[in-house]
């Protein structure tokens, strides 16, 4: 059997936004019934066939590192987390769409991870200003995922999604928003036939993902 290329992806965000549930869904194709708080870091894996069925197909061993804690933690805790930020190939930033502070804190999470050797400066300032130039040379792909969209009243969703769209723009990242439903859909309404195995998720420009 050919060796698999290892890919390390950090999953960052405030406690309670749904990181562990997201990682479990991606790796196990199941909803996590009773998630618990993550202490330190939890790692789960999945095998993914990139460009499956094409001459460029390649199999990757993807490690999803679910990092626990808070950006408001003591500096000693942040220093401990820094060991998780080595040799990273991608970062998933997760926020709770019903919690504006969790969205704002993504700026600080990204700063901590991408500037792990520096003293945290608190990128987020009044009115949500963000120094995009600080990460202009960043080569690590970023993905912003918003959870609990279903808990926002339909009359408020446009306002919330407009606000969070600026997050993805600031990070120069793709954006996905999760809604709890019975089937999988793309934002445009095209149904994705549930995940038949542990290799099928990934790729594309998904915006809203509905899952059981």
């Amino acid at each position: 059997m050919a060796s698999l290329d290892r890919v390390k992806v950090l999953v960052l965000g405030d406690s309670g936004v749904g990181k562990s549930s997201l990682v479990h869904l991606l790796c196990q194709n199941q909803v996590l019934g009773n998630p618990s708080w993550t202490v330190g870091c939890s790692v789960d894996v999945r095998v993914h066939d990139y460009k499956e069925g094409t001459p460029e197909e390649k199999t990757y061993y993807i490690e999803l590192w679910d990092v626990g804690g808070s950006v408001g933690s003591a500096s000693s805790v942040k220093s401990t987390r820094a060991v998780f930020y080595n040799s990273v190939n991608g970062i998933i930033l997760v926020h709770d769409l019903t919690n504006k502070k969790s969205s704002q804190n993504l700026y600080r999470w990204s700063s901590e991870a991408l500037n792990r050797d520096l003293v945290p400066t608190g990128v987020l300032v009044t009115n949500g200003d963000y120094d995009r130039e600080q990460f202009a040379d960043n080569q690590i792909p970023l993905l912003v995922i918003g959870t609990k969209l279903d808990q926002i009243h339909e009359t408020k969703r446009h306002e919330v999604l407009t606000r969070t769209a600026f997050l993805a723009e600031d990070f120069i990242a793709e954006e996905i928003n999760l809604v709890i439903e019975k089937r999988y859909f793309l934002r445009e309404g095209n149904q994705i036939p549930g995940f038949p195995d542990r290799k099928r998720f990934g790729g594309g420009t998904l915006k809203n993902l509905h899952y059981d």
Side-chain angles (χ1 to χ4, degrees):
M1 179 178 178
S3 61
L4 304 182
D5 286 328
R6 171 181 175 271
V7 176
K8 178 180 177 180
V9 179
L10 294 177
V11 182
L12 305 177
D14 287 357
S15 297
V17 298
K19 301 189 301 295
S20 297
S21 296
L22 173 65
V23 170
H24 189 81
L25 176 66
L26 293 177
C27 295
Q28 307 298 331
N29 295 340
Q30 301 176 342
V31 174
L32 185 60
N34 187 25
S36 58
W37 299 107
T38 300
V39 178
C41 181
S42 174
V43 181
D44 207 342
V45 300
R46 72 170 294 120
V47 177
H48 175 68
D49 288 331
Y50 176 70
K51 293 189 176 181
E52 184 177 10
T54 72
E56 294 80 25
E57 179 177 343
K58 192 170 185 178
T59 301
Y60 290 93
Y61 182 81
I62 301 176
E63 299 177 352
L64 293 171
W65 290 56
D66 174 10
V67 179
S70 167
V71 288
S73 302
S75 58
S76 59
V77 176
K78 293 180 180 179
S79 297
T80 301
R81 280 203 300 259
V83 301
F84 304 136
Y85 301 154
N86 294 317
S87 305
V88 174
N89 303 110
I91 299 177
I92 298 176
L93 299 168
V94 185
H95 63 116
D96 178 349
L97 293 168
T98 68
N99 182 345
K100 187 175 181 180
K101 185 176 181 180
S102 74
S103 303
Q104 294 173 333
N105 281 343
L106 291 186
Y107 295 109
R108 300 175 66 184
W109 276 109
S110 64
S111 178
E112 180 180 307
L114 297 174
N115 294 309
R116 61 186 179 83
D117 297 324
L118 302 177
V119 176
T121 58
V123 174
L124 183 67
V125 296
T126 306
N127 298 324
D129 294 329
Y130 178 63
D131 183 8
R132 300 180 70 179
E133 295 300 320
Q134 181 175 2
F135 301 129
D137 296 328
N138 172 48
Q139 299 298 312
I140 299 176
L142 302 176
L143 173 65
V144 177
I145 294 184
T147 63
K148 308 180 185 180
L149 181 59
D150 56 295
Q151 296 183 21
I152 300 175
H153 193 277
E154 291 185 2
T155 60
K156 296 290 186 179
R157 288 186 182 181
H158 178 73
E159 175 185 345
V160 171
L161 294 179
T162 298
R163 169 172 54 81
T164 60
F166 287 103
L167 285 172
E169 182 178 342
D170 282 342
F171 293 124
I172 315 175
E174 288 294 326
E175 180 187 20
I176 295 176
N177 296 307
L178 302 184
V179 179
I180 299 176
E181 285 291 352
K182 290 296 184 181
R183 291 168 293 180
Y184 300 82
F185 291 91
L186 294 177
R187 166 177 280 179
E188 292 76 10
N190 299 318
Q191 183 174 342
I192 302 175
F195 303 153
D197 59 58
R198 296 181 61 175
K199 300 181 181 179
R200 301 295 299 182
F201 184 83
T205 55
L206 292 180
K207 296 299 182 181
N208 288 351
L209 176 65
H210 299 227
Y211 60 95
D212 272 326

